[in-house]
Amino acid sequence: MENQNRSVSRWRVLGFALLLAIVVCIAYGNSYSGGYVLDDARYLELDQAPELANLSNRLGAVAAGRIRSVGNLSFTLNYLLIGDEPWAFHVGNFLVHGGTALVLFDLVRRLLSAPYFQDRYSAVATELAFVVALLWAVHPLGTMAVTYLIQRYESQAALFYLLTLYCVTRSCLANDWRWAAAAIAMCGLAVGTKEVAISAPLIAIALDRAIFASCWSELLRKRGWAYAGMWMVTAYVTVKLQPAFQAGTTLHTSVTGADHVTRWEYLCTESQVITHYIRLALFPYPLCFDYEWPIARHFTDYFATGLFIVGLLIATGYALWRWPPIGVVGLLFFCVLAPSSSFVPIADPAFEYRMYLPLACIVLLGVIGGYELWRRSSAAANRSLRHLPIVLTSIVAILFVGMTLQRNRVYRSAETVWRSVVELRPDHVRAHHNLAKILKDDGRISEAIAILGNSRARIVARSGSTAAIDIELGEIAARTEDFAEAQHRFRLAIDKLSKQKSPTSETLRLDAEAHIGLGALLQQQGDHAGAAEALIAATQRRPDCYPQAHGMAGVSLRELGKLDEAERQLDKAVMLTGPSQPWRRELGIVYFQQGRLREAADAFENWRKQAPDDLEITLRLAWLRAAASPGEVRNLAEAKQLTESLIARLGPQQQLLDLAATILAAEGKYAEATQLCQNAIAQQRQKGGDPGPMESRLQLFQNQRPFQSAQPDELY
């Protein structure tokens, strides 16, 4: 009979687990059609993240204990096993989320069935655990950590965090060392995924002592070695993160500039943020991708929320003393939020994905508290109201599924993300700015200008800096060939940024980009002196960050005849970029103009490996191989091959006939060379050009002498 009851119970648990999986599938069924959003492409597109396909390097990073290496490995395995399209990574994210929901279900079920509760929940442990896991898994507040692909770091860290607690629970219930050893491994995977899991050993010990171990000596005797192993794993990550924890970002960034933030100001701000998180957990509307949360700098800003959070911390401490399981849940909530929501300043104080695992704590307390109230009320004894919990759970779950499906649609593209923020927060400057950039890149210029104009007006009303907006407007004006407006906008941004008393990395970046925009515009208009000045200024603002500025400055300096300065700038551009960038080409032209013909020929040869269809460089190289002096630069066979390829593509043009005549003369075929050269001179005269250089070569050919020169202006 006992074995039969166990079998029935097992099938019952599996049935609830299957139902949970089905509902979660429904809630996230429309998430697979979304593309890469915002930061996704930088990490998940192979051309931007070549390491994605390098399994050996990713495994080596995990073995070396590098920060977030397990999360990176997860994306690589996703790429290799499922695919490289956005839908494949959405599948991976869903599997992580579904797995986390199932682990939460079985963890809560086993904890509620533990001897500590003396059969208080054993009869309904499976049902209560199902409700907890269900409401958490379909809660719309967790959508950002699932549908926004790159936030898998958060959801996967939560998965391994819960697996750590699950293994500890199984070890305590069965007194089995293998589960304890597995807990160490899960803890390592958790902290290797993301640093939010560094509290896993503390929570595991607190859980053990609260529910399983009767005293500290029993805990240390039975599982002390396992907790020591978990602490060793997390200590390594903590040491790696120490510089970040010591400094934080110290800045609060936005489109209007970057403000310095003290630890106290950030801590006070987070009291507001955590209060908002709790409100969203209880009533998840409205949800917002980017809150652009302002820093709380005045006592009145944070007094009420600070008092509320301090009260919760005191209640958590009291619960650890009087009702340890409740205290552990509260401790888990605050510990998981601590890395991002305490005293270490982070650029953005509020993001919803940070509530992914802490949300489970609120749901758990809500479900257990609701059950206790219902059990103690007269409704439990009233047959007509006995099914009230099922009805309420179903209604809430259906509402949550609908809201989650709606949030999934928001993450279909970067445009839908920022449009959702703009619709919710019409005064959100950063959302307007980013949406305008997307529209600009998509060619929807008029929409972008309207949005940027709106943002600029709001910034002016706040007495903020409009430099970032002016740069965007300048780029749009340049694209639409309104050069006067573009130059005005870039200079306006430069003027505003120059008045900053203590420039930050963000203002220096904007200053450099404004100078690059101005320099590119002036270069396009032929003002090479102004272009070189602006571009060099950009490289001075942020050294080694803008190879294109070095390269473009080198081109303008070359046009001004300042070849040595041009060489220095182009050398820097070459050093900072790969072989496919055009700065090696431009440097070769500088060598050519300096008379360093051998170096020019080598540079042209290397560039043609990257761009074999570059006709100008092919022609320059053909002249060098045909007639350059000294002789080691010449290579008649290559010159002939290059010339034939040019004639095949362009036809018998005057310049190519002149080049072909030079090659024939070098081969000793002076009669043919003379004939071709005369044809080239005739074409030049028909065009009204100066045939003088060709007539000089014609005289050499008629005297049966080849043409050779070390002077660049005679070779091209």
Side-chain angles (χ1 to χ4, degrees):
M1 180 65 70
E2 184 179 349
N3 290 336
Q4 185 178 359
N5 289 337
R6 286 183 179 178
S7 177
V8 171
S9 176
R10 186 179 298 112
W11 281 107
R12 194 155 159 268
V13 170
L14 289 175
F16 274 110
L18 179 60
L19 179 58
L20 174 63
I22 291 172
V23 177
V24 176
C25 284
I26 294 172
Y28 286 93
N30 65 338
S31 66
Y32 308 111
S33 59
Y36 293 130
V37 174
L38 306 175
D39 291 336
D40 288 344
R42 186 152 56 97
Y43 295 94
L44 303 180
E45 281 192 340
L46 196 61
D47 57 344
Q48 297 189 51
E51 281 291 303
L52 181 65
N54 197 329
L55 180 60
S56 60
N57 280 6
R58 290 285 168 92
L59 289 171
V62 172
R66 293 177 188 165
I67 302 299
R68 301 196 180 187
S69 56
V70 178
N72 294 333
L73 176 61
S74 163
F75 286 120
T76 294
L77 293 175
N78 198 142
Y79 169 81
L80 296 174
L81 298 177
I82 304 178
D84 61 347
E85 297 297 323
W87 69 264
F89 291 103
H90 279 293
V91 169
N93 277 28
F94 171 78
L95 292 176
V96 170
H97 180 61
T100 307
L102 292 173
V103 171
L104 178 63
F105 165 64
D106 205 41
L107 173 62
V108 173
R109 183 183 71 84
R110 291 180 184 276
L111 288 174
L112 293 178
S113 302
Y116 175 88
F117 294 106
Q118 299 179 349
D119 296 330
R120 185 181 187 88
Y121 302 112
S122 57
V124 291
T126 301
E127 289 83 353
L128 290 175
F130 171 76
V131 173
V132 171
L134 173 67
L135 296 183
W136 173 83
V138 300
H139 199 294
L141 184 56
T143 310
M144 189 177 192
V146 183
T147 313
Y148 185 14
L149 293 176
I150 203 62
Q151 294 309 331
R152 184 189 298 181
Y153 292 103
E154 192 78 24
S155 58
Q156 186 173 297
L159 170 62
F160 288 126
Y161 199 124
L162 290 178
L163 280 171
T164 302
L165 302 182
Y166 182 81
C167 291
V168 167
T169 300
R170 296 296 300 269
S171 175
C172 294
L173 289 172
N175 196 22
D176 190 336
W177 66 270
R178 290 171 295 185
W179 283 108
I184 299 175
M186 293 301 105
C187 181
L189 293 173
V191 296
T193 299
K194 195 174 182 182
E195 54 277 6
V196 295
I198 60 174
S199 60
L202 173 64
I203 300 301
I205 293 171
L207 180 66
D208 190 344
R209 181 65 183 87
I211 296 180
F212 300 108
S214 59
C215 60
W216 286 106
S217 59
E218 179 188 345
L219 182 149
L220 294 173
R221 184 179 71 255
K222 290 184 176 181
R223 289 170 292 276
W225 62 273
Y227 298 130
M230 293 165 66
W231 279 118
M232 288 176 64
V233 169
T234 55
Y236 179 79
V237 175
T238 304
V239 170
K240 290 251 187 181
L241 289 171
Q242 188 176 3
F245 283 137
Q246 286 177 341
T249 65
T250 71
L251 291 174
H252 176 236
T253 59
S254 69
V255 174
T256 58
D259 301 322
H260 286 276
V261 180
T262 66
R263 292 181 184 277
W264 173 251
E265 288 172 338
Y266 189 81
L267 183 64
C268 294
T269 302
E270 286 306 310
S271 72
Q272 297 177 321
V273 173
I274 294 174
T275 302
H276 182 70
Y277 286 160
I278 294 172
R279 202 275 295 168
L280 288 177
L282 301 175
F283 186 75
Y285 183 85
L287 297 172
C288 186
F289 174 80
D290 182 7
Y291 288 93
E292 200 175 33
W293 201 281
I295 298 299
R297 302 188 187 276
H298 304 290
F299 180 72
T300 54
D301 294 338
Y302 57 80
F303 173 72
T305 57
L307 201 62
F308 174 67
I309 298 302
V310 169
L312 288 182
L313 288 169
I314 293 172
T316 298
Y318 183 73
L320 284 169
W321 173 47
R322 291 298 303 272
W323 305 290
I326 296 176
V328 171
V329 175
L331 185 65
L332 174 61
F333 175 85
F334 284 109
C335 284
V336 174
L337 282 176
S340 62
S341 300
S342 56
F343 55 85
V344 182
I346 297 177
D348 292 289
F351 267 123
E352 290 168 1
Y353 67 80
R354 294 170 185 163
M355 272 294 288
Y356 184 74
L357 182 54
L359 175 63
C361 302
I362 296 176
V363 173
L364 175 59
L365 291 177
V367 170
I368 299 301
Y371 171 74
E372 287 291 341
L373 288 174
W374 178 81
R375 195 170 71 93
R376 297 179 185 184
S377 69
S378 58
N382 190 330
R383 287 192 173 184
S384 61
L385 298 177
R386 289 186 64 181
H387 298 294
L388 181 62
I390 298 175
V391 173
L392 291 177
T393 299
S394 300
I395 292 173
V396 174
I398 291 170
L399 288 174
F400 281 0
V401 168
M403 295 174 74
T404 295
L405 288 168
Q406 180 62 36
R407 285 303 289 173
N408 289 335
R409 297 188 188 99
V410 168
Y411 291 97
R412 287 186 173 175
S413 68
E415 181 181 343
T416 56
V417 166
W418 290 119
R419 281 199 183 278
S420 72
V421 180
V422 168
E423 291 170 3
L424 183 65
R425 302 270 306 276
D427 60 340
H428 196 302
V429 173
R430 182 162 60 192
H432 282 84
H433 178 250
N434 290 332
L435 178 58
K437 288 181 68 175
I438 293 168
L439 295 173
K440 180 195 71 174
D441 294 339
D442 196 36
R444 294 145 72 182
I445 302 299
S446 58
E447 291 181 67
I449 291 174
I451 289 174
L452 286 171
N454 184 30
S455 295
R456 194 178 193 283
R458 294 179 185 279
I459 295 171
V460 169
R462 297 179 182 180
S463 301
S465 171
T466 60
I469 301 295
D470 285 326
I471 292 171
E472 290 293 334
L473 288 170
E475 290 178 355
I476 290 175
R479 176 181 289 190
T480 56
E481 298 186 355
D482 187 351
F483 298 130
E485 173 66 11
Q487 190 171 151
H488 168 69
R489 290 293 179 182
F490 288 133
R491 292 193 185 279
L492 199 61
I494 291 169
D495 181 61
K496 290 182 180 297
L497 292 166
S498 66
K499 295 176 181 178
Q500 295 277 348
K501 294 181 179 179
S502 53
T504 65
S505 59
E506 179 67 12
T507 56
L508 287 172
R509 179 186 68 80
L510 290 173
D511 198 6
E513 291 182 0
H515 278 91
I516 291 173
L518 178 61
L521 183 65
L522 294 174
Q523 188 177 80
Q524 185 178 357
Q525 294 178 296
D527 182 1
H528 291 289
E533 181 182 358
L535 293 164
I536 291 173
T539 65
Q540 292 169 345
R541 299 299 188 274
R542 298 184 75 202
D544 299 340
C545 290
Y546 297 106
Q548 74 272 29
H550 286 287
M552 293 166 66
V555 171
S556 283
L557 290 167
R558 187 187 71 204
E559 294 298 318
L560 294 169
K562 300 178 179 180
L563 298 181
D564 291 341
E565 294 179 50
E567 181 187 352
R568 283 194 293 271
Q569 292 295 330
L570 287 166
D571 266 331
K572 189 71 173 179
V574 167
M575 184 181 72
L576 295 173
T577 57
S580 62
Q581 297 303 309
W583 313 124
R584 284 166 172 74
R585 173 194 194 276
E586 305 300 333
L587 184 59
I589 296 175
V590 170
Y591 289 153
F592 184 88
Q593 292 177 347
Q594 289 174 325
R596 296 157 61 181
L597 303 184
R598 184 187 304 171
E599 293 169 84
D602 291 341
F604 294 157
E605 288 279 11
N606 290 330
W607 174 247
R608 288 194 74 253
K609 294 176 183 177
Q610 302 295 325
D613 295 330
D614 189 325
L615 301 181
E616 179 188 348
I617 295 303
T618 302
L619 184 58
R620 286 181 181 272
L621 180 59
W623 271 106
L624 286 173
R625 295 309 189 198
S629 179
E632 60 264 23
V633 179
R634 293 195 301 276
N635 185 327
L636 291 180
E638 184 181 354
K640 191 172 183 178
Q641 180 185 359
L642 293 171
T643 304
E644 289 173 351
S645 69
L646 288 169
I647 292 173
R649 296 193 60 177
L650 303 175
Q653 297 182 1
Q654 160 265 320
Q655 194 174 23
L656 297 180
L657 293 177
D658 186 20
L659 174 59
T662 301
I663 295 171
L664 289 171
E667 292 176 331
K669 302 175 181 178
Y670 294 109
E672 296 176 55
T674 298
Q675 182 62 44
L676 276 180
C677 192
Q678 288 173 339
N679 292 341
I681 291 171
Q683 286 189 18
Q684 184 75 343
R685 284 175 175 161
Q686 286 178 356
K687 294 179 181 178
D690 179 17
M694 285 184 284
E695 289 176 341
S696 298
R697 283 190 282 277
L698 178 60
Q699 291 180 2
L700 290 173
F701 302 157
Q702 289 173 338
N703 293 326
Q704 296 194 346
R705 292 174 57 191
F707 167 71
Q708 295 175 6
S709 177
Q711 300 301 316
D713 56 349
E714 295 181 357
L715 291 170
Y716 183 75

